[in-house]
Amino acid sequence: MKLIKLNASVTASNEQDAEALRARMKEAGTLLVNVMSSPGSGKTTLLSRIIRDLSDLKIGVMEADIESDVDARRIEALGAKSIQVHTSGMCHMDAGMTAAAWEAMETKDLELIFLENVGNLICPAEYDTGAALNLMLLSVPEGDDKPLKYPLMFQKSDALVITKTDAMDFFNFNPEKCRQSVLKLNPDIKIFPVSAKTGAGMDALESYLRESLREFT
Amino acid sequence: MHEMGIVLHLAKTLDQTAEEHKLTAIGKVVLQVGEVSGIMTDLFTDAWDYFKVRHPVLKDSTLVLETIPAVTWCDHCKRTYETVKYGKTCPHCGSGETWLQQGNECVIKEIEAE
Ligand SMILES: Nc1nc2c(ncn2[C@@H]2O[C@H](COP(=O)(O)OP(=O)(O)O)[C@@H](O)[C@H]2O)c(=O)[nH]1
Ligand SMILES: [Mg+2]
Ligand SMILES: [Zn+2]
């Protein structure tokens, strides 16, 4: 027996899979956006709104949140390509599962694919899915102290979408305090306060998505 | 289940390592696991023993877990303290402007193999 020093991440194989998937999607001209948040923070509602607003783009959705096809059917009803991913109780999506879901969509023509990751603020942050853009949602009712409790996801995300801003008055949510603590964790993160209900702030987020698509492909 | 997911990835990573280094059997696998990584060590080793038999190179392996203590940094008074004992609030100055410095990791430190 010989001793081999590795100091490797336990998930090193996933990181390789993720790089490979990112390269293949770039070649196909598809921007994959990984959407992470707690359950109920408004992922499906936000995606539905984006699909309607960006009707000139070919959009698809991978639904990995909970094993039911309710969300997938909500998306399909809007005319977007959607697929339900069965995570078998796993707490996150990894790059292998994401690659399999992309194959199962049976089209390489989509311009934008959203991955609605499992609703959970811890595990999805630890696994690179192969997405070129990582989006995190934080809803106003969850409170502005979430960054302190779950720092990793804020650090791994390219953009933070603060959802349900129409409910700001009913909750003790201080947007400035939230911004300060998020920027401390991740100085490069973009922050978009939106309401999918009233449409407030959606323009800025949607321009950002278009711009990211242009830059990636 | 968090532990199962990590076990799957660990097995895959070790299979690849075995291929790269032309190994036929892996014995001891030393992992460094952070005190607040959320990994339950008993569940983890059980999941490993259940899973390893599916991988020829890994079937006689044993996991050895070393704990990395969790340390929090206080941004206010610029000192560190034990996370598990004091949590989010700095025991030196009472500030809540504190961040985890180490203790969240899960790293394969080394393996014994032939
Ligand atoms: N007031 C308000 N409620 C919202 C908004 N977006 C979503 N919701 C509500 O939040 C709940 C959960 O939304 P959903 O999109 O299913 O969350 P998901 O679990 O993250 O996909 C639903 O009852 C939505 O109607 C919003 O912008 N404003
Ligand atoms: Mg949903
Ligand atoms: Zn202090």
Side-chain angles (χ1 to χ4, degrees):
Chain A
M1 286 262 168
K2 59 182 170 188
L3 188 73
I4 303 174
K5 298 262 176 207
L6 286 176
N7 284 320
S9 149
V10 166
T11 54
S13 72
N14 184 59
E15 281 136 39
Q16 285 171 12
D17 291 351
E19 282 308 328
L21 179 61
R22 238 187 315 277
R24 280 201 291 139
M25 294 196 86
K26 196 182 176 85
E27 203 154 296
T30 306
L31 177 72
L32 177 66
V33 183
N34 176 25
V35 183
M36 300 175 285
S37 82
S38 313
S41 58
K43 294 185 291 299
T44 308
T45 310
L46 183 78
L47 295 182
S48 304
R49 174 119 203 169
I50 292 172
I51 290 166
R52 251 179 289 144
D53 293 350
L54 303 182
S55 56
D56 58 309
L57 294 179
K58 290 196 271 305
I59 302 182
V61 177
M62 299 171 181
E63 274 301 337
D65 197 12
I66 59 168
E67 282 225 9
S68 103
D69 59 357
V70 186
D71 286 351
R73 273 188 280 142
R74 275 166 74 187
I75 298 290
E76 205 105 88
L78 297 164
K81 180 89 188 168
S82 98
I83 189 163
Q84 176 69 47
V85 182
H86 296 280
T87 54
S88 319
M90 207 79 97
C91 50
H92 62 272
M93 282 291 282
D94 63 32
M97 292 156 83
T98 308
W102 191 38
E103 286 307 319
M105 288 183 113
E106 293 180 336
T107 169
K108 297 282 174 286
D109 291 341
L110 299 168
E111 296 167 279
L112 201 55
I113 297 180
F114 293 99
L115 164 60
E116 181 169 343
N117 211 317
V118 182
N120 162 346
L121 287 181
I122 305 169
C123 315
E126 292 170 9
Y127 290 88
D128 191 338
T129 57
L133 198 68
N134 287 296
L135 218 63
M136 171 184 184
L137 271 56
L138 172 66
S139 69
V140 162
E142 290 173 77
D144 53 30
D145 61 347
K146 275 273 161 34
L148 304 175
K149 293 183 184 156
Y150 304 99
L152 186 66
M153 191 170 285
F154 290 87
Q155 285 162 345
K156 290 281 173 80
S157 297
D158 301 298
L160 168 68
V161 184
I162 301 176
T163 60
K164 310 191 191 180
T165 52
D166 56 283
M168 200 81 90
D169 293 345
F170 306 109
F171 296 93
N172 226 344
F173 192 98
N174 182 333
E176 199 38 46
K177 189 172 140 208
C178 182
R179 177 182 290 272
Q180 289 306 330
S181 44
V182 171
L183 287 176
K184 208 172 260 179
L185 290 173
N186 180 351
D188 299 323
I189 200 168
K190 305 270 187 308
I191 303 178
F192 299 97
V194 307
S195 166
K197 198 173 169 188
T198 66
M202 290 300 299
D203 277 354
L205 174 60
E206 286 161 357
S207 310
Y208 172 70
L209 289 172
R210 280 187 194 280
E211 201 180 302
S212 305
L213 175 61
R214 250 195 318 270
E215 268 175 28
F216 181 64
T217 56
Chain B
M1 206 182 75
H2 199 69
E3 284 72 18
M4 198 65 207
I6 299 171
V7 160
L8 286 173
H9 287 291
L10 175 61
K12 221 173 146 194
T13 300
L14 289 177
D15 270 344
Q16 282 180 2
T17 308
E19 220 168 280
E20 274 165 36
H21 291 79
K22 310 233 179 312
L23 306 171
T24 51
I26 293 182
K28 200 164 77 171
V29 177
V30 184
L31 290 190
Q32 292 180 310
V33 178
E35 212 178 357
V36 297
S37 63
I39 295 170
M40 313 273 289
T41 51
D42 288 355
L43 258 183
F44 194 58
T45 42
D46 283 355
W48 181 253
D49 290 336
Y50 171 78
F51 198 76
K52 67 183 184 188
V53 294
R54 302 189 199 180
H55 297 246
V57 183
L58 303 174
K59 66 179 188 349
D60 296 319
S61 63
T62 45
L63 276 192
V64 178
L65 303 186
E66 292 179 355
T67 305
I68 300 178
V71 177
T72 296
W73 161 260
C74 173
D75 230 13
H76 189 247
C77 71
K78 315 287 180 205
R79 288 159 78 180
T80 59
Y81 63 88
E82 290 169 62
T83 313
V84 173
K85 201 157 164 193
Y86 302 104
K88 193 66 204 141
T89 308
C90 174
H92 310 300
C93 74
S95 167
E97 301 249 319
T98 56
W99 316 109
L100 187 68
Q101 200 171 52
Q102 62 166 60
N104 196 24
E105 46 281 270
C106 182
V107 180
I108 312 169
K109 184 184 168 194
E110 59 197 22
I111 58 174
E112 272 177 16
E114 56 191 22

